[in-house]
Amino acid sequence: VHLVPRRCRRKRPSATTRGGCIDPDTPPTPASIAAARRFDMVAVRTPWRASERTPGTRDFSALDRWVEWCVKEKKAFVLGPLADFGTTDGAPHALPQPVLALRGDPQRFREALWNQVRAVVARYAGATPLFVAVSGTNCALVGLATEA
């Protein structure tokens, strides 16, 4: 039983019931903007690898472009996941390689993770109150955090 279609027969869905997900590596082109405009709310992904392509150097320019567009359009949006432990075909897809190397040292791994989360939230807290904290905690990567 799908509850959303049943509920929508009785009354119009909330503006945030349906939304789209934006990959910050896709620049805001006319086509991607047209697609994003079709939704009342968008989720802008925050993969760590996208903001730290060079170890130790954060570059939020790709994310900034979409956040600026959302703010300018007055589009409701959520950022995250701030910590993505997800895997694709068994390989982590969001954490940078130097952070993956810290899995054997839980204290340093936690500290690096905290610093990244704090940097993203501090940068965008004025633009949105909505953040997805974590994703992929059920994936094998978390279980590997104590192995190395």
Side-chain angles (χ1 to χ4, degrees), residues 76-88:
F77 69 102
V78 59
L79 289 172
L82 299 174
D84 189 350
F85 299 107
T87 59
T88 302

Side-chain angles (χ1 to χ4, degrees), residues 127-141:
T128 183
L130 303 172
F131 293 91
V132 175
V134 66
S135 177
T137 54
N138 60 325
C139 296
L141 174 63

Side-chain angles (χ1 to χ4, degrees), residues 2 10 20 34 58 67 78 91 95 111 122 126 148:
H2 296 281
R10 291 191 322 253
R58 288 192 178 93
V67 169
V78 59
L95 298 177
E111 183 179 314

Side-chain angles (χ1 to χ4, degrees), residues 4 14-15 27 29 31 43 48 57 78 86 91 99 104 108 113 122 124 137 142 147:
V4 172
S14 161
T29 63
W48 194 341
T57 305
V78 59
V99 174
R108 289 182 60 213
L113 185 63
Y124 300 112
T137 54
V142 174
E147 298 176 14

